[in-house]
């Protein structure tokens, strides 16, 4: 590296490292705090917060959350929709992008126009709600799947940029040999697009796993609740209890039952239940993202930085 | 090479190829028309006396009402506080967020130890991957009256009794802005870092030989080098000023902090889906979209004029 090692440079370096360390602590500590609080006995927590390690270690809250049928059902709904949407939408969107990227596609302008229009124009919440109702998707598991099958034109742009890197001669020789477009896509394009597929799969999976809006807007039955939505209700009703506002969401039976059953027990309180549910629901994302990390920069770069 | 290529293109013009390509494209075309374009007809509701009991057909058959919904919205006592909250949280959020993220990226760029650098990045990306329910929930826990922040403030005798962080409107903007900043700091820095990696390295060497220190090099080489990326992000921030934080605000919102936390998106959800005022909620949503589009075009034009770079 260029540059000498003057006193000024050394101060600069230490200051940078100091700021970074503080920032890392600020970022990571809330998670650590929730983890140890959820593993502490609930009654003990009332005496004061724990800081570095649980005072009275117990898995009771975790066991309670993991044994709750409502939460298990929500976890199943969340996981299944995440996997189904990620697989289908990645396969289909990359296929769309392949057909879109072919320079010999006739009337390409049409797809360009509807693609860009779909990025900037939408009816908004209420018209979408009416549409879902009309289509019979309201309070139906398919509302989690159907609107997400096409991963959006933004993903198409990223795929398109990626396909430009594949040499034309590969496509040409395959065509000469009489390969169909589908064969070219599955045999040549997919194997050569693994990094971008991986990056966009991670983005899609994270978005779907974390989405609670669809549940909030378009469903009402308990059997369709997602994990994020259950936790949202836990937080909201918990806080309501705390503020003594008496506005616990009575309509949400699963949550109020969970809260009622947890009150009065020494090891588990509504508070530790909430924390345990949050920690458990974030585990899949926390486990996944370091593995996927090496694809991020490439994936984000292709889509967002202007050439 | 060129001749070969043309041969390939000619091969693509046959009927079978075009049919196969259409087969690949059409499911998405149908989905876009159904889920993106069909709801656009629903916007008619904003200009009509529509009642939810009229069903879908009512959108077309109900009477025009001379912009009644729009005038009523402007006279609603909740309208201006809501616009103020939306603009306030997003505008201050962007004014704080963009420089802090840029500063963070510049610092990170100066760290030459690869393992330490990737450790920082891994840790600061983490919040981006968690939902607002979880990230917001964590902060609600920390900010509770018996939470750790109040506990520490009391221990150090900075306050006498716990502060009602989430029950008091005066703290809400600050909480929303700070949590928003922390959640996407590491993630936002990726773009700047990528842009910095694209800056010509020989410029740095030349500057070092001329005796420029690290700060000087940062100011005169790195920042001008990433200006186009910076402009694009500013344009996005300006056009996003009216939306895209429903998921955050809704989690942090409660009845007590409503005066500072009611934004356009939460209001549309509340009046539209909870109180069934479909038509006026649609009118507010439409107004928001139109202003957002104007802001986008305006910011882009300004950026094109001032810096010769823009989104389009």
């Amino acid at each position: 590296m260029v540059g000498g090692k003057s006193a000024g440079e050394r101060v600069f370096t230490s200051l940078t490292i100091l700021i970074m360390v503080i920032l890392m602590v600020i970022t990571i500590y809330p998670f650590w705090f929730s983890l140890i609080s959820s593993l502490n006995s609930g009654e003990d927590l009332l005496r004061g917060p724990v800081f570095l390690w649980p005072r009275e270690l117990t898995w009771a809250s975790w066991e309670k959350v993991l044994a709750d049928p409502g939460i298990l059902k929500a976890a199943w709904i969340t996981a299944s929709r995440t996997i189904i949407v990620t697989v289908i939408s990645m396969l289909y969107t990359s296929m769309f992008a392949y057909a879109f990227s072919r320079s010999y596609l006739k009337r390409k302008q049409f797809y360009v126009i509807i693609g860009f229009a779909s990025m900037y124009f939408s009816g908004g919440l209420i018209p979408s709600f009416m549409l879902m109702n009309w289509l019979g998707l309201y309070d139906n598991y398919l509302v989690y799947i159907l609107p997400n099958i096409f991963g959006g034109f933004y993903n198409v742009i990223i795929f398109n940029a990626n396909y430009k890197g594949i040499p034309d001669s590969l496509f040409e020789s395959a065509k000469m040999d009489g390969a169909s477009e589908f064969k070219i896509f599955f045999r040549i394009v997919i194997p050569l697009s693994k990094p971008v597929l991986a990056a966009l799969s991670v983005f899609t999976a994270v978005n779907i796993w974390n989405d609670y809006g669809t549940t909030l807007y378009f469903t009402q039955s308990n059997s369709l609740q997602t994990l994020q939505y259950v936790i949202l209700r836990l937080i909201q009703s918990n806080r309501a209890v705390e503020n003594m506002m008496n506005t616990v969401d009575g309509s949400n039976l699963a949550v109020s039952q969970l809260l009622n059953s947890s009150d009065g027990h020494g090891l588990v309180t509504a508070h530790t239940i909430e924390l345990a549910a949050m920690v458990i629901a974030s585990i899949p994302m926390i486990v996944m993202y370091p593995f996927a990390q090496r694809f991020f920069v490439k994936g984000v770069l292709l889509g967002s930085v202007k050439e | 090479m060129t001749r070969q290529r043309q041969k390939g293109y000619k091969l693509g013009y046959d009927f079978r190829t075009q049919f196969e390509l259409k087969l690949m494209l059409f499911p998405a075309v149908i989905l876009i028309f159904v889920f993106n374009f069909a709801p656009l007809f629903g916007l008619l509701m904003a200009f009509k006396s529509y009642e939810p009991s009229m069903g879908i057909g009512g959108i077309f058959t109900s009477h025009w009402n001379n912009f009644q919904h729009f005038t009523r919205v402007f006279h609603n006592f909740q309208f201006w506080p809501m616009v103020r909250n939306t603009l306030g949280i997003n505008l201050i959020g962007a004014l704080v967020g963009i420089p802090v993220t840029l500063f963070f990226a510049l610092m990170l760029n100066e760290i030459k130890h690869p393992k330490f650098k990737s450790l920082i990045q891994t840790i600061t990306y983490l919040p981006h991957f968690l939902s607002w329910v979880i990230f917001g929930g964590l902060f609600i826990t920390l900010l509770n009256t018996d939470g750790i922040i109040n506990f520490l403030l009391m221990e150090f005798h900075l306050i006498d009794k716990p502060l009602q962080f989430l029950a008091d409107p005066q703290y809400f903007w600050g909480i929303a802005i700070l949590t928003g900043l922390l959640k996407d700091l590491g993630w936002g820095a990726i773009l700047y870092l990528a842009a910095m990696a694209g800056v010509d390295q020989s410029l740095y060497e030349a500057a070092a030989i001329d005796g420029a220190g690290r700060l000087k090099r940062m100011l005169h080489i790195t920042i001008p080098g990433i200006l186009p990326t910076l402009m694009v992000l500013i344009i996005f921030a300006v056009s996003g000023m009216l939306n895209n934080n429903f998921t955050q605000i809704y989690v942090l919102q409660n009845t007590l902090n409503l005066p500072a936390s009611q934004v356009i998106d939460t209001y549309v959800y509340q009046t539209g889906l909870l109180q069934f005022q479909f038509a006026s909620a649609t009118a507010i949503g439409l107004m928001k979209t139109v202003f957002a589009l104007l802001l986008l075009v305006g910011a882009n034009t300004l950026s094109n004029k001032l810096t010769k770079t823009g989104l389009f």
Side-chain angles (χ1 to χ4, degrees):
Chain A
M1 196 50 219
V2 286
K5 287 256 182 268
S6 68
E9 300 248 319
R10 236 172 288 146
V11 171
F12 182 89
T13 312
S14 350
L15 206 67
T16 314
I17 291 173
L18 184 71
I19 293 173
M20 290 302 168
V21 170
I22 292 173
L23 193 67
M24 282 198 279
V25 172
I26 293 176
T27 314
I28 211 78
Y29 188 72
F31 297 100
W32 181 247
F33 176 76
S34 318
L35 180 68
I36 57 173
S37 300
S38 74
L39 290 176
N40 200 6
S41 127
E43 212 171 38
D44 177 64
L45 270 189
L46 296 175
R47 282 189 268 133
V50 289
F51 295 99
L52 288 176
W53 199 251
R55 264 197 304 268
E56 291 179 13
L57 182 76
T58 166
W59 290 88
S61 310
W62 280 52
E63 280 164 13
K64 188 129 189 87
V65 169
L66 289 174
D68 181 72
I71 287 191
L72 288 183
K73 174 83 183 163
W76 165 244
I77 296 274
T78 318
S80 63
R81 78 181 270 218
T82 305
I83 293 167
I84 294 173
V85 167
T86 308
V87 171
I88 298 183
S89 130
M90 274 308 110
L91 271 179
Y92 180 66
T93 312
S94 58
M95 184 190 276
F96 178 92
Y98 167 73
F100 181 76
S101 70
R102 299 298 84 206
S103 51
Y104 46 79
L105 170 71
K106 280 183 188 165
R107 297 205 193 84
K108 191 171 180 174
Q109 205 60 29
F110 170 71
Y111 304 102
V112 175
I113 289 169
I114 64 163
F116 276 105
S118 75
M119 282 171 83
Y120 290 102
F121 296 100
S122 78
L125 178 61
I126 307 299
S128 299
F129 174 81
M130 294 177 72
L131 176 79
M132 296 304 174
N133 249 331
W134 187 56
L135 292 174
L137 289 178
Y138 183 78
D139 212 24
N140 185 332
Y141 181 74
L142 287 176
V143 78
Y144 291 135
I145 311 289
L146 281 181
N148 297 313
I149 284 180
F150 179 55
F153 204 64
Y154 181 76
N155 285 351
V156 173
I157 295 172
I158 295 177
F159 273 122
N160 198 13
N162 197 261
Y163 295 160
K164 277 186 192 147
I166 304 175
D168 274 346
S169 51
L170 264 179
F171 295 119
E172 276 156 25
S173 55
K175 290 220 74 148
M176 299 282 201
D177 293 344
S180 71
E181 296 289 340
F182 287 99
K183 205 163 190 175
I184 296 176
F185 173 71
F186 283 110
R187 293 282 171 78
I188 298 175
V189 176
I190 290 240
L192 288 174
S193 320
K194 276 179 193 153
V196 68
L197 274 170
L200 292 180
S201 299
V202 172
F203 295 149
T204 310
V206 170
N207 272 340
I208 301 288
W209 181 273
N210 286 343
D211 166 56
Y212 72 86
T214 312
T215 317
L216 187 67
Y217 302 144
F218 305 131
T219 72
Q220 58 178 8
S221 46
N222 282 333
S223 60
L224 283 176
Q225 290 183 355
T226 50
L227 211 44
Q228 308 294 334
Y229 183 80
V230 170
I231 296 168
L232 176 74
R233 285 290 179 245
L234 269 174
I235 295 168
Q236 287 179 336
S237 39
N238 224 343
R239 204 163 47 189
V241 172
E242 233 153 59
N243 295 337
M244 294 192 220
M245 304 235 319
N246 230 1
T247 54
V248 185
D249 197 359
S251 64
N252 200 314
L253 269 174
V255 173
S256 19
Q257 269 166 9
L258 195 64
L259 282 178
N260 289 338
S261 66
S262 63
D263 277 340
H265 292 64
L267 288 177
V268 181
T269 56
H271 185 59
T272 58
I273 285 276
E274 178 193 320
L275 288 168
M278 290 198 306
V279 173
I280 291 169
S282 52
I283 287 174
M285 293 299 112
I286 291 181
V287 169
M288 186 180 77
Y289 91 96
F291 292 106
Q293 204 186 338
R294 60 200 167 107
F295 301 119
F296 293 166
V297 176
K298 204 172 178 196
V300 174
L301 249 183
L302 278 171
S304 317
V305 177
K306 227 186 149 208
E307 301 288 330
Chain B
M1 177 69 200
T2 339
R3 191 180 295 160
Q4 238 180 19
R5 204 186 245 177
Q6 276 170 352
K7 216 172 188 180
Y9 286 2
K10 253 182 213 153
L11 274 171
Y13 271 114
D14 61 47
F15 171 76
R16 195 184 69 145
T17 302
Q18 291 299 323
F19 180 72
E20 282 168 355
L21 290 180
K22 291 238 155 62
L23 219 58
M24 292 174 161
L25 291 165
F26 252 78
V29 173
I30 293 168
L31 287 171
I32 288 175
F33 271 96
V34 172
F35 289 109
N36 280 85
F37 295 162
L40 291 176
F41 289 106
L43 293 175
L44 280 174
M45 277 188 293
F47 307 97
K48 294 194 162 198
S49 324
Y50 176 82
E51 296 292 333
S53 57
M54 292 171 177
I56 288 282
I59 296 174
F60 303 100
T61 55
S62 53
H63 299 290
W64 301 97
N65 68 357
N66 290 325
F67 301 100
Q68 219 178 69
H69 294 303
F70 293 93
T71 45
R72 205 190 303 153
V73 162
F74 283 120
H75 292 117
N76 190 328
F77 71 99
Q78 289 190 66
F79 180 72
W80 293 111
M82 169 178 100
V83 170
R84 195 193 50 155
N85 289 335
T86 311
L87 287 176
I89 292 169
N90 284 312
L91 197 65
I92 301 173
L95 282 178
V96 176
I98 290 175
V100 171
T101 312
L102 177 63
F103 179 73
F104 171 67
L106 285 170
M107 294 273 121
L108 207 55
N109 200 38
E110 294 298 320
I111 288 175
K112 301 303 173 198
H113 198 288
K115 281 226 170 104
F116 184 56
K117 191 170 169 179
S118 78
L119 178 72
I120 300 166
Q121 287 188 289
T122 306
I123 287 179
T124 50
Y125 292 161
L126 175 63
H128 179 82
F129 284 83
L130 298 176
S131 70
W132 264 114
V133 169
I134 299 203
F135 197 69
L138 288 180
F139 274 87
I140 291 169
T141 312
L142 296 178
L143 292 167
N144 266 339
T145 44
D146 59 351
I148 194 165
I149 291 176
N150 268 313
F151 183 85
L152 288 178
L153 289 174
M154 301 253 281
E155 283 291 291
F156 291 116
H157 298 287
L158 291 168
I159 51 171
D160 299 328
K161 57 181 169 84
L163 295 174
Q164 302 268 356
F165 283 110
L166 281 153
D168 193 334
Q170 68 173 340
Y171 300 117
F172 189 83
W173 284 21
I175 292 168
I177 289 163
L178 281 179
T179 51
L181 177 64
L182 198 58
K183 190 165 188 287
D184 278 328
L185 185 63
W187 189 254
I190 292 185
L191 281 178
Y192 293 109
L193 283 172
M196 285 172 198
V199 176
D200 189 356
Q201 292 299 312
S202 59
L203 287 175
Y204 288 103
E205 280 164 35
I209 290 164
D210 287 347
R214 286 171 99 169
L215 266 177
K216 277 240 166 88
R217 275 178 264 161
M218 208 190 256
L219 277 176
H220 297 293
I221 301 172
T222 313
I223 292 183
I226 61 170
L227 200 62
T229 309
L230 191 63
M231 280 325 291
V232 170
L233 290 176
I234 290 174
I235 296 169
F236 276 131
V238 170
S239 63
M241 218 143 70
L242 291 169
N243 47 355
N244 76 25
N245 58 359
F246 176 86
T247 43
Q248 178 193 4
I249 304 293
Y250 187 71
V251 170
L252 298 172
Q253 190 175 64
N254 60 43
T255 28
L256 294 173
N257 62 27
L258 215 52
S261 69
Q262 186 76 291
V263 295
I264 298 176
D265 286 342
T266 56
Y267 185 79
V268 168
Y269 169 67
Q270 222 176 56
T271 54
L273 290 192
L274 301 182
Q275 297 162 10
F276 294 104
Q277 299 174 23
F278 280 13
S280 60
T282 307
I284 297 173
L286 177 61
M287 254 192 299
K288 190 197 80 172
T289 316
V290 171
F291 280 121
L293 208 61
L294 288 178
L295 283 173
L296 173 70
V297 175
N300 191 57
T301 316
L302 203 67
S303 161
N304 274 332
K305 278 223 171 98
L306 294 178
T307 63
K308 307 263 184 284
T309 50
L311 210 53
F312 46 81

